[in-house]
Amino acid sequence: MDLCATGDTPEVCWFCRKGRHEDCMKNIPKQGKSDGPHDCTFDTQLIPCKCQH
């Protein structure tokens, strides 16, 4: 069983969850709400893929 196939784990990129480790994104964009003046203000940050391939 592939340890990365954990459904919607945000720390592992889509490719690794599908078993395509050669296509790993290395960094995953993660949306986070910022302290902006509107509800639609987002702060996109990159987090490293935590797959152990």
Side-chain angles (χ1 to χ4, degrees), residues 6-40:
T6 55
D8 291 324
T9 303
E11 291 86 11
V12 177
C13 77
W14 183 88
F15 293 107
C16 290
R17 281 183 276 175
K18 299 297 183 184
R20 294 171 54 186
H21 300 291
E22 67 275 3
D23 294 325
C24 179
M25 296 170 64
K26 307 293 187 223
N27 290 300
I28 312 162
K30 182 176 181 181
Q31 292 284 355
K33 282 185 74 79
S34 70
D35 293 330
H38 305 290
D39 288 340
C40 60

Side-chain angles (χ1 to χ4, degrees), residues 28-34 41-46:
I28 312 162
K30 182 176 181 181
Q31 292 284 355
K33 282 185 74 79
S34 70
T41 303
F42 289 97
D43 180 22
T44 302
Q45 53 185 307
L46 293 175

